[in-house]
Structures are given as C-alpha cells and as structure tokens.
Amino acid sequence: RETVMFCKELLIAKRLVRSYHLFYSFLGLLLDERGGAVSKAKDFEVRMRKTVIEKSHNRLRIIRLLTNQRLLGFACYAHGLADFLSSEMINGSLKSLRNSEFEGFLREFTSESLDPVSNAEVSIFFTYN
C-alpha cells in the first residue's frame, strides 16, 4: 500500500514534515518535529483569525491534514495539533468555534480519543531524526 511506502521512505517522510511546517506556519503555529507539540508563532493571533476564524474552508484543510498525519505515520503530530486547537477553543483565541462541527471533528484526533489507527505504522522519520 502507498501508506506503508510513505511510512518507510525517509526522503518522503522528510518532505512531508517540511510541508507540515509550511502549513503550520500558514496557521501561525510552530511544530516540534520530534514529538508533535504545537506552540504559537509570534503572528499567531493574526494568522489564526485570518485563516481559521474568518475562512471556514481552512478548517476542512486542517481536518484533512489531521487525517493525513494519522494515516502516514505522524499520529503524534495529529494529536498535538488537535490538542492545541481544542485548548484554544476553551481558553484562547478560538472560543468563537466552540460547539461547532469543527470542534466535533477535532475530538476524533485528540490524544484522549480512542484512535484505532494509533497502532499503525510509525514514520521512519522518527527513527532517524
């Protein structure tokens, strides 16, 4: 399967991580590539307002990204992003998205969710980086 190839090829994994960094930057976020922790970039408030609050189509992109990460061996990234965004909905700049469909979708990816894919392949990226 293609997903196994994505998990086992280091060059592909590095390119995926680079693309993840680009998208996180677009959202005003920083990614710790070793463990998947997410933090705010200095332009977080502006980027999050422009990309997520005002533009609902980017919420669908985030859901697709989370699914991609989970399937391609980066489940810890999906958990980190979902946990961060969920926390921002409760305590931070995304309060306006509480009780939305987006919040419901995020729950499926948080570290507290029962994740049947969590036993799937883990990317080779974590072996060599």
Side-chain angles (χ1 to χ4, degrees):
R1 283 180 53 175
E2 291 91 10
T3 56
V4 173
M5 183 179 72
F6 275 85
C7 290
K8 296 192 181 291
E9 291 290 330
L10 184 58
L11 181 61
I12 293 172
K14 285 182 176 184
R15 288 179 178 168
L16 280 171
V17 171
R18 187 171 61 195
S19 71
Y20 295 154
H21 278 290
L22 285 172
F23 190 70
Y24 280 51
S25 176
F26 172 71
L27 298 173
L29 301 173
L30 300 171
L31 169 65
D32 171 16
E33 60 187 46
R34 297 223 181 257
V38 176
S39 58
K40 296 177 182 180
K42 62 182 177 180
D43 61 348
F44 170 76
E45 298 295 331
V46 172
R47 299 296 314 151
M48 196 54 59
R49 182 179 42 77
K50 287 184 176 181
T51 60
V52 178
I53 296 172
E54 294 176 4
K55 310 282 187 192
S56 62
H57 67 277
N58 286 325
R59 294 178 219 151
L60 295 174
R61 288 183 175 145
I62 292 170
I63 298 302
R64 285 194 302 268
L65 172 70
L66 293 168
T67 302
N68 168 291
Q69 290 173 329
R70 203 164 61 166
L71 292 174
L72 299 181
F74 293 90
C76 65
Y77 286 11
H79 293 311
L81 181 57
D83 288 346
F84 177 85
L85 293 173
S86 294
S87 174
E88 282 297 311
M89 282 186 199
I90 296 168
N91 305 315
S93 62
L94 297 177
K95 288 180 183 177
S96 62
L97 298 179
R98 293 236 347 123
N99 302 316
S100 67
E101 291 176 358
F102 183 63
E103 182 182 31
F105 284 121
L106 279 181
R107 273 192 227 114
E108 296 180 31
F109 295 96
T110 62
S111 58
E112 298 168 357
S113 68
L114 295 175
D115 184 3
V117 184
S118 63
N119 293 331
E121 294 279 338
V122 173
S123 176
I124 194 169
F125 180 82
F126 297 108
T127 303
Y128 292 101
N129 287 310

